[in-house]
Structures are given as structure tokens and as C-alpha cells.
Amino acid sequence: MQQAMNILTNLSSSNADVRFAAWRAAGDLHPDQIAEVGKLAASTNPGIAKAAKEALTTLTHSVGKDPANPKRAGVVNGLLGLVASGAADVKVHAMRLLSHIAGEDSVPAIAKYLADAALREEAIYCLERIPGEGSIKAVMSAYAGAPDDFKPRLLAALGHRRSAAAKALCAEAMRSTNAAIAAAGAKAAARIGKAPTPQFPQGPERADAVIRFAECQAREGNPAEASRLFKSLLDDPAAHVQCAAVIGLSKLRTADAAVAILPKTKSTDRTVRITARNAWKSMT
Amino acid sequence: MSRSTRNTRRSFLRKAASASAAGAFLFDIVPARALGLQGETPPSDTLNFGHIGIGGRGRGFLRLESNLGKQVPASSNLGGDGSRKLRAARSIALCDVDTGRLDKAASVVGGKPRLYKDFRRLLEDKDVDAVYIASPDHWHALHTIRSCEAGKDVYCEKPACNTIEEGRAMVDAAERYGRVVQIGSQGRSQQSAWEANNYIKAGRIGRVRKVLCWHYASPEGDWTPDAPPPPELDYEMWLGPARHIPYNPRRTHGAFRWMIDFGGGQIRDRGAHVMSIANWIMDADAGGPVSIEAKGEPPHDGMYDSAVTMEVTYQFRNPDWTLVWAQPGVPSATLDARYGAVYWGDSGNLTVTLGDGAGTSTDQKVKDFAASCDCGKAFRSPGHSENFEDCIRTREKPIMHMEAAHRVSTLCVLGNVAFQLQRKLEWDPVSESVKDDAEANRMLSRPGRGPWHL
């Protein structure tokens, strides 16, 4: 305990080297001391504020490796306390650290900040990193009440997590009259990639969404649907989309795919032609 | 000029050339230059480049309008000795979030390049064949991926990416669209590095067991007050996917690399050069280490957070060898340079200095060997940009292709993660995950901000 008290004292030393030694030893701090460290992190002395934030980081890392670490819950609770009552930049720092170690049990406490304009970006960053269905459900629950300018961010998180549970919500988003929300819904649905194939909205991002969705279908053991989707892009006006379709088909390694690729080996577009010839070679 | 227009002209010229016997009159009205005769480059074979990020580094890629149609010498900083020639190309579109830099670059290029503040608008430009990306590191992944999705071939400055997830997404994007992506670790295009590669592969120092990199320490930094961003800089766009922090001139242009969020310190900035050569020579372009251990110190004070001193030890298996990144480390005993690597084999050692642009060098014995022996096995790049531009035409993979660059970046990123966590990481290079370390695995990716996501 004396060691921990010394760390706390030394974090506010006027000597940068003493502060450094203190923050490096901060894994020995007790979680109950986090509030005190949080006050130092709000210091107007930038050196002390830095040392305190680094101490919080060190403490977080000390419990981060094993989610079963008995000290972890205390550190998480201490950081949640800082998010609730710390200075503005300390709240942000604490939320970032929570993204390293918070588990499903902390999701409700973090998810409430999705409605806080000042912290919502940090809250979604944190939830996106917390494994398990709990964080996904929390994001989905927040979606309906979220302002339109934040909905694309929530959809991006759901797409990144590739959760099948979010499929219907993404489909709904794709039908939005708000172009940004519709595009974000399509991107998320494409990354989630769960059948049945949705009706991707027209727009500049449609081709990429179809290609990514087709890749998911191939990975999930549905080559017929993947093939259908790739073939639908073989005559796209954009040469690079044709290339993507050819490459996607070639990876299916089916006779059907080979037949579809063959005409492209004589494409008038040089890039498409070379891509198709290379794809053909890779299949044979 | 639209792509369709260009294609029409290409088509016209092709037909015209094939019908030359019947239509000799054509040559009365079409200059030889336009048909690519007499050593001239036809305009239809001129590459149209877009440039994203045109600060100090980015300006080095610009093609001056006054050089149009000429075979201009390659910059020695892009690989080679400067005597090689770059193909005919134009810088037709420039993009930067700093209008001051944009205007300066436009005046350097000459002519009337199209100017953009938003890279998405540049990528919509159908006349742009390929892009040179020299934005800050935290933008590399998104700029590269969106460029691939827009059908552009890409030359992106090193380090390729800021996280493992970004690197893998970049590999996927390049592969998905069949795009040529060259990352700017130019050392692989340097003659000395190529000779050293052949020398070691010929077994001249025996089996290499250890590669020791050295580099001087990073700056400590100081405290500079935050300030309002200058009016010419769109700071929100500069931040892009990175966390929001107030503008500070010592964290943006040039100095961003001392912040983990934006850059990642010397190990990522110069490690992407020195360790690129190591991976190339050691045939580690498709794999990675099995463990990473780091020690050292970050700045005790000041606003930077990347390592000032660090020593990172990577263990590789099958074959077994050790890579050490040390800042500062032990410099070569044979060659004087600020950074480089010494390759230690069973029967000797070899130094390769720098590993980026001009100045990359190796021991005299390698040069003697190269002169006396026709034993070159490694691909010989004609120069980094030249190789990129060749590959745009051939659709082959360039020498620093995305998978290789991702594997080098993986070393840099994992070195920093091990340094931050102050514990050894057990790495699975196949699944690209850390064994039994929940926190380290979360640090392999970094969610984006606002509309900026992989």
C-alpha cells in the first residue's frame, strides 16, 4: 500500500523522471486510487496530466491480458467512474482504456453514452471493441433513437462486427430515404454477408457491396449465390468491377465460373483481359 | 479528357497504324510522336496520375507538365541511382487537405491540374489511372482501399498501415479488384540491397541466424500549446479516422509520426525500410514471427507518445532466426550510416545501410562478388516508381506488393504493441492473432471515427 501511495505522490512530482518512474510502476496501484489519479490527469500542468494518464494506461495494461484477472473488474469500475465524473479529456481517455479491457458486464454502463453527443464517438469505439453479442445488441438498441447523423456510425460498427443479428436492421437502413444511412446500411450488410441476398440500393457503392457480399457467400459455403452475384457484374461498365467479378469467380474454382470467365480473356479492355487470363491460368 | 475519349483515340490510332499501307495520308497529318514512333511516347500511352497528399514527401512524386513526353530521370530517392528513366506520365489531379500545399504543388506541376480537397472527388475522376498516396500514416489504409474500389492502381508511401486489421484489409482490397499496389519501401529497388540479397542467398555468409537493425532514437518532444488550426488546413479531414484531439502544429505536418495514433515512431517510419529489406532477404514476405518482446522508454515528458528508445526482438521459426530492431542499437562496424542492419550468418556478416533511397549501401565484398559472378536470382527492380509503372501495364505484382508490405508493417505494429503493453507477445502469423492475450488482440484493430471505416 505504501508503494501505491508513493506512486500517487510521485505522479505529481515536479521532476519528469520521477513522474515517469511512477507511471511505469502504476500496475501496482489499487483500483480505488483511480479516482485520485483521474484528478491528476485533469491537472493544468501538462506533465502531471500526462503522467497520470499514462499511469491509468499502465494500470489498464496490467489487467488486460487475462479477462479473468481478479483485479480487472475493479479497474473497469474505476474507469467507468472517471467517464461519469472526470474532466472532459479524462473521460475520453478512460473510455479509450475501457475499450481495451471492458467486458460484456460493462456494456450497459458504456452504451448509455451513445446518447451523449460529447462521448458518443468514444462510446461506439469502445463497444465496437468489446467482444460478445451484448455490445452488438446495445448498438442495435441505440439505433432507433439515434440522430440521423450518428446512424451511419452505428451501422459501421455493426458491419465491422459482422453480426447476423444486425442483418434486418441493415436491410431497413438500406431502404432509408437518407442517402448516407442507406449507403451505410449497404456497406454493413455487405460485410455481414448473411443470406438471403439483400436488394442493395443503386449508387456508387453498390458494386463493392455486391462483391463483398458475394465473397461472404463463397466463404459460407454458398458458391452458387456467390457465382450468381459475381456474374451479375461481369458486364459492369467499370473495368475494375469486371476484374473483381472475374477474380471472385476464379476463386470459386468451378466449371461454371471458368465458362463465365473465358469470354473476358478476349476483352477489349487490356486490364480486364490480362486479369481474366491470369484468373484462367490460376484455375487450370 | 474523359476515358472514353482517350479510348476512342487509342482505338483510332491503332486502326490507323494497321491501315497505314492503305492510308499513308494519315502520316501527313498525325505527328510521329502521336503514334509512338521514333522513340516518342504516344499521348495515349501516357499515364495520368492523381496525388493524394502533396506535402514534402508527396511533391517528390509529381510529374511536371514541362516534362510531358520526355523520359524523365527517376529520382534517386525512389530507388536506383537516378539514371533510369520514368515513363511518360502526367500529374493531372492533386488533392490535399491543406490548400497552401495544394496551391504550391499546382504551381510546381504547371499546366492546369485539377485540384481537390476531398480525396473522394479525386477518385471519382475517370481520367486518373493511378494514384500516388503520401498522406499521413493514419490515412494510408483508407486512401489505398478506396482507391482500389475506384479502380485506381496505387503507390502508397510506407508504412503501409497503422494496424494489423488495416493491413489485411488493404491486401484484400488490392486482391479483390486486381489492382497494382506498391508500397514505398524503396530499398528493394536499390542496387546495393539487391546485391546483398543475392550475396546472402548464394550462401556467402552461411545460414543467417540473426539480423540486428540499428537506428538513432526518436525525439523526446516538448510541450507546444494547442491552437486553432490554420485557415488553409481542413483539420477534421486531416484527422479523418483518427481520434479527435485538438490541433497542434507539432502533431500534424511532418511531426505526426511521433504520435502512436497517427504514426508510430521510428520503428514504423524507418523500420518499414530496414525491416523490409530483412524480410525480403530472409524470404519472410508471407509469414511472420512467433514471438515479439520489447523494452525501452517513451518520452518522460512532452506531448509525444512513441518510443524514444526501444529494442524489439522477434523470433522466427522454420527457419529459425532472430530479428532485432534497436534504437539506438549497435551500428555496423564496416559502414558508417545513421541506420541499417547487420546480417549475421554462420560464416560471416554483412551490412546493408539505410534501406530506403539514395545512400543505401552494402559491404565492398558484395560489390566484388556481384562484379565477378553471374548469380543474380532475386528480381531486379528497375526503380521503385518505374517498377510500379511497369506493373500498371503488365498487371504483375510490384516488388513491394501489398502482402509483403503488410507483413513488414506487422513487425512495426507488433513491436509497438509489445512496447506499449510491456509484455511478450506470442504471435500466430497464420491467423494473425496474439495467443492468450485479450487486450493485445483488441489492439490489432482500431475502430474508425465518423464516416471513416475500413
Side-chain angles (χ1 to χ4, degrees):
Chain A
M1 194 61 190
Q2 186 56 47
Q3 157 76 353
M5 289 305 294
N6 288 344
I7 292 169
L8 210 51
T9 304
N10 289 342
L11 284 174
S12 52
S13 167
S14 59
N15 183 322
D17 295 332
V18 172
R19 294 197 301 267
F20 171 71
W23 101 49
R24 291 291 256 195
D28 291 336
L29 286 171
H30 190 279
D32 289 348
Q33 294 174 297
I34 287 176
E36 284 302 309
V37 180
K39 288 177 190 166
L40 294 176
S43 170
T44 53
N45 179 323
I48 292 174
K50 172 181 176 132
K53 285 176 185 165
E54 293 288 358
L56 292 170
T57 304
T58 302
L59 181 57
T60 300
H61 291 337
S62 74
V63 301
K65 183 175 182 183
D66 179 7
N69 186 311
K71 199 172 161 184
R72 186 190 68 89
V75 174
V76 168
N77 284 335
L79 293 172
L80 284 169
L82 292 185
V83 174
S85 60
D89 65 327
V90 178
K91 286 173 189 262
V92 169
H93 187 68
M95 195 70 98
R96 284 275 157 149
L97 294 177
L98 284 167
S99 81
H100 286 237
I101 59 168
E104 288 212 70
D105 48 348
S106 309
V107 164
I110 294 164
K112 70 181 182 186
Y113 294 103
L114 290 173
D116 180 331
L119 276 178
R120 67 185 192 181
E121 272 291 348
E122 295 304 324
I124 188 64
Y125 181 103
C126 189
L127 291 168
E128 199 170 325
R129 271 184 158 181
I130 297 175
E133 287 298 307
S135 51
I136 291 165
K137 285 179 184 165
V139 175
M140 290 171 60
S141 297
Y143 183 82
D148 277 2
D149 70 336
F150 193 48
K151 283 181 173 171
R153 177 66 189 91
L154 298 177
L155 289 163
L158 294 169
H160 182 241
R161 293 291 298 274
R162 299 196 163 110
S163 168
K167 199 177 65 176
L169 192 151
C170 293
E172 177 198 321
M174 277 191 279
R175 292 190 291 272
S176 172
T177 53
N178 179 315
I181 293 174
K187 279 187 174 184
R191 283 154 178 76
I192 292 168
K194 304 289 182 193
T197 303
Q199 189 66 42
F200 288 108
Q202 294 299 323
E205 280 132 355
R206 183 178 183 279
D208 187 69
V210 171
I211 291 162
R212 286 176 186 257
F213 192 90
E215 287 177 349
C216 291
Q217 290 302 295
R219 274 199 302 272
E220 298 215 338
N222 192 358
E225 180 61 1
S227 179
R228 184 187 74 78
L229 292 169
F230 284 130
K231 282 184 196 171
S232 74
L233 298 172
L234 274 174
D235 293 317
D236 190 278
H240 70 286
V241 174
Q242 292 181 42
C243 289
V246 164
I247 292 165
L249 281 165
S250 72
K251 289 182 178 173
L252 297 176
R253 304 189 71 82
T254 63
D256 174 58
V259 169
I261 289 171
L262 191 58
K264 291 292 169 187
T265 62
K266 294 175 183 170
S267 170
T268 54
D269 184 285
R270 190 167 182 277
T271 302
V272 173
R273 190 168 66 243
I274 295 174
T275 301
R277 287 177 182 177
N278 289 339
W280 181 263
K281 277 184 210 161
S282 75
M283 294 180 79
T284 53
Chain B
M1 179 170 55
S2 71
R3 181 181 293 271
S4 59
T5 308
R6 245 184 27 246
N7 284 340
T8 300
R9 184 167 63 180
R10 278 180 181 150
S11 170
F12 166 75
L13 292 172
R14 202 179 302 120
K15 286 172 188 168
S18 65
S20 58
F25 70 94
L26 277 172
F27 294 96
D28 291 331
I29 58 169
V30 180
R33 178 175 70 253
L35 292 171
L37 301 177
Q38 298 167 10
E40 299 276 1
T41 303
S44 57
D45 202 29
T46 298
L47 290 168
N48 288 334
F49 287 122
H51 298 259
I52 301 172
I54 40 178
R57 187 75 191 101
R59 278 199 294 278
F61 297 118
L62 296 176
R63 300 303 178 82
L64 310 190
E65 197 68 13
S66 56
N67 283 333
L68 184 61
K70 299 176 188 170
Q71 296 273 301
V72 297
S75 159
S76 60
N77 195 33
L78 297 179
D81 58 8
S83 63
R84 301 183 186 107
K85 307 292 184 186
L86 290 171
R87 290 181 184 276
R90 301 179 75 186
S91 293
I92 66 162
L94 312 176
C95 174
D96 204 290
V97 297
D98 186 325
T99 52
R101 291 180 164 209
L102 198 54
D103 293 342
K104 189 172 181 181
S107 66
V108 167
V109 169
K112 291 182 179 175
R114 299 158 205 179
L115 306 182
Y116 301 96
K117 284 184 73 178
D118 185 330
F119 73 98
R120 292 170 294 189
R121 303 291 85 79
L122 181 146
L123 294 179
E124 288 167 1
D125 190 330
K126 301 292 183 196
D127 291 342
V128 172
D129 297 311
V131 292
Y132 275 95
I133 297 170
S135 49
D137 301 357
H138 65 281
W139 264 112
H140 285 177
L142 278 171
H143 282 159
T144 298
I145 292 167
R146 296 291 172 262
S147 296
C148 290
E149 289 169 2
K152 315 299 186 193
D153 294 318
V154 176
Y155 182 112
C156 178
E157 260 308 321
K158 58 81 212 165
C161 52
N162 272 14
T163 69
I164 305 296
E165 184 186 47
E166 283 182 355
R168 183 48 62 197
M170 292 165 84
V171 172
D172 290 346
E175 191 175 308
R176 177 177 297 127
Y177 285 99
R179 293 302 99 183
V180 172
V181 178
Q182 171 93 302
I183 299 297
S185 298
Q186 312 102 310
R188 294 187 182 205
S189 295
Q190 294 286 336
Q191 179 163 339
S192 293
W194 177 77
E195 289 170 351
N197 191 3
N198 291 330
Y199 188 86
I200 289 175
K201 292 224 169 83
R204 304 291 290 187
I205 61 170
R207 190 173 150 196
V208 176
R209 307 281 184 179
K210 194 175 272 194
V211 180
L212 303 180
C213 311
W214 82 92
H215 194 289
Y216 57 88
S218 289
E220 292 264 0
D222 54 12
W223 292 107
T224 299
D226 295 339
E232 66 271 20
L233 176 67
D234 182 344
Y235 182 58
E236 272 303 308
M237 196 68 167
W238 186 92
L239 282 171
R243 75 177 163 127
H244 190 281
I245 57 173
Y247 171 77
N248 190 303
R250 299 293 300 277
R251 282 193 296 250
T252 44
H253 295 332
F256 65 84
R257 56 178 48 87
W258 313 125
M259 300 293 295
I260 292 284
D261 274 354
F262 307 134
Q266 304 283 24
I267 192 173
R268 293 194 55 243
D269 189 44
R270 290 280 178 47
H273 284 309
V274 180
M275 295 195 284
S276 161
I277 302 290
N279 266 10
W280 189 41
I281 289 176
M282 299 303 292
D283 286 329
D285 273 349
V290 295
S291 71
I292 304 96
E293 208 163 3
K295 56 186 179 183
E297 291 190 1
H300 294 192
D301 204 1
M303 54 192 187
Y304 298 149
D305 62 0
S306 62
V308 174
T309 61
M310 76 191 309
E311 183 176 296
V312 186
T313 302
Y314 306 88
Q315 296 292 345
F316 289 75
R317 291 279 176 269
N318 300 318
D320 295 1
W321 62 289
T322 303
L323 172 66
V324 178
W325 170 265
Q327 56 182 75
V330 180
S332 165
T334 56
L335 291 170
D336 184 27
R338 293 179 302 153
Y339 53 95
V342 181
Y343 294 74
W344 291 89
D346 292 333
S347 57
N349 66 72
L350 177 68
T351 298
V352 181
T353 65
L354 305 189
D356 44 10
T360 293
S361 183
T362 189
D363 294 322
Q364 185 58 44
K365 61 188 177 187
V366 176
K367 298 179 192 303
D368 296 341
F369 172 78
S372 66
C373 178
D374 181 21
C375 45
K377 289 178 183 171
F379 167 70
R380 175 73 194 275
S381 164
H384 221 51
S385 278
E386 180 94 319
N387 172 238
F388 170 57
E389 294 170 21
D390 283 350
C391 290
I392 290 174
R393 289 170 171 81
T394 64
R395 312 312 297 170
E396 291 173 352
K397 279 191 176 179
I399 192 161
M400 194 55 181
H401 56 83
M402 196 52 235
E403 177 72 33
H406 166 55
R407 296 296 183 166
V408 173
S409 283
T410 294
L411 297 175
C412 308
V413 170
L414 291 178
N416 271 338
V417 172
F419 179 81
Q420 289 173 292
L421 294 177
Q422 290 290 292
R423 57 180 179 256
K424 186 175 183 178
L425 306 179
E426 303 288 343
W427 178 246
D428 180 343
V430 177
S431 66
E432 297 190 306
S433 60
V434 182
K435 295 174 187 168
D436 302 322
D437 194 325
E439 186 184 14
N441 278 316
R442 291 194 197 186
M443 293 169 74
L444 303 182
S445 65
R446 211 182 280 165
R449 186 176 67 98
W452 308 115
H453 304 276
L454 296 176

